[in-house]
Amino acid sequence: MVLTYGFLQGTFGLPYGGYCVRPLQLSDIVLSADNPSLSMFCVLGKYNEVLKWLQGNDRMVANLCTAQDTFTHDLTVEVYNKSSTLSRMLRGVKGIDAQLVIRIARVWDRDAMDQPGIAGPSRQFKPMLRVLVPSGITLSEIKDELERAELHTLLDATRDKNLLDVVLTRVSTRGSAQSGDIQAAPLPRYQRSIEQPPRYT
């Protein structure tokens, strides 16, 4: 699987499947719950290559505040396994085909991994990893948190005081998305196409 990244499209609001729309240039990633085209960012590829790509990027991922009640000010990072069980057994976790999704956290994300009765749009997809991180984190810091996470167990990095201090210092230095100091990654211009989008796998 060739590594690709971009804003996740074509999922009807779900954090799985679909396809990536690559921005014209990768700058700071500003997610907006009020704009479906900018609500989720994804990276597709071999999991070890995804981690390597994250490690080499110091771009900041920010959450543009929204008035919708079900969203929080934090971010949810999820990793979905796109390989077969046999492939995972033979190659290990880092050798699987993976889909990493960064999205604005929902109010139920903190409990959904551990409580099967919790309702939520991502519950049925069972991510392999889920990490809650503060808005303003960098991609390389997300990689560090993913490596600390355990399979099928929520890691709440928003309670890490050291990480919060680093993020707050960065955000106060670089400004906020509302003030325009953060340069969001622009999407390419819309072009009508007769080709169908990729099928779900």
Side-chain angles (χ1 to χ4, degrees):
M1 175 181 284
V2 178
L3 188 139
T4 58
Y5 63 86
F7 289 94
L8 187 60
Q9 310 285 314
T11 67
F12 302 99
L14 298 174
Y16 182 81
Y19 56 96
C20 294
V21 175
R22 187 167 180 169
L24 295 174
Q25 60 184 24
L26 186 63
S27 52
D28 291 327
I29 301 165
V30 182
L31 302 179
S32 172
D34 298 323
N35 185 344
S37 297
L38 300 174
S39 62
M40 292 181 281
F41 189 85
C42 70
V43 186
L44 299 169
K46 296 291 184 185
Y47 188 47
N48 58 347
E49 295 176 357
V50 171
L51 292 176
K52 184 177 180 181
W53 184 85
L54 293 173
Q55 180 64 44
N57 281 281
D58 61 354
R59 274 77 174 185
M60 186 168 68
V61 185
N63 173 357
L64 190 63
C65 293
T66 178
Q68 299 184 45
D69 294 337
T70 60
F71 293 98
T72 74
H73 294 286
D74 298 319
L75 302 170
T76 297
V77 181
E78 293 169 323
V79 178
Y80 294 91
N81 177 16
K82 297 178 71 69
S83 295
S84 65
T85 302
L86 178 60
S87 179
R88 177 177 164 183
M89 290 175 60
L90 294 175
R91 301 176 184 173
V93 172
K94 291 194 174 181
I96 66 170
D97 293 331
Q99 178 172 356
L100 179 141
V101 177
I102 306 171
R103 59 183 176 82
I104 301 173
R106 296 276 193 168
V107 294
W108 53 73
D109 283 341
R110 206 174 297 275
D111 303 310
M113 288 288 274
D114 302 321
Q115 300 182 23
I118 295 293
S122 63
R123 177 62 195 169
Q124 59 182 306
F125 294 103
K126 298 180 180 178
M128 184 176 70
L129 293 170
R130 176 181 286 163
V131 182
L132 290 181
V133 296
S135 176
I137 195 170
T138 64
L139 294 173
S140 59
E141 289 167 345
I142 287 176
K143 180 258 185 185
D144 294 337
E145 298 304 321
L146 287 172
E147 293 196 323
R148 291 201 306 122
E150 298 179 3
L151 294 178
H152 309 295
T153 302
L154 173 70
L155 173 64
D156 189 353
T158 63
R159 298 177 180 176
D160 184 334
K161 293 183 178 179
N162 292 331
L163 177 61
L164 288 175
D165 287 342
V166 172
V167 169
L168 288 173
T169 300
R170 177 185 305 120
V171 172
S172 63
T173 302
R174 296 175 67 173
S176 65
Q178 290 87 340
S179 68
D181 294 328
I182 296 176
Q183 299 300 315
L187 289 175
R189 293 184 62 183
Y190 174 77
Q191 293 183 345
R192 192 177 185 88
S193 174
I194 60 174
E195 295 183 7
Q196 296 293 321
R199 298 184 63 182
Y200 288 99
T201 57

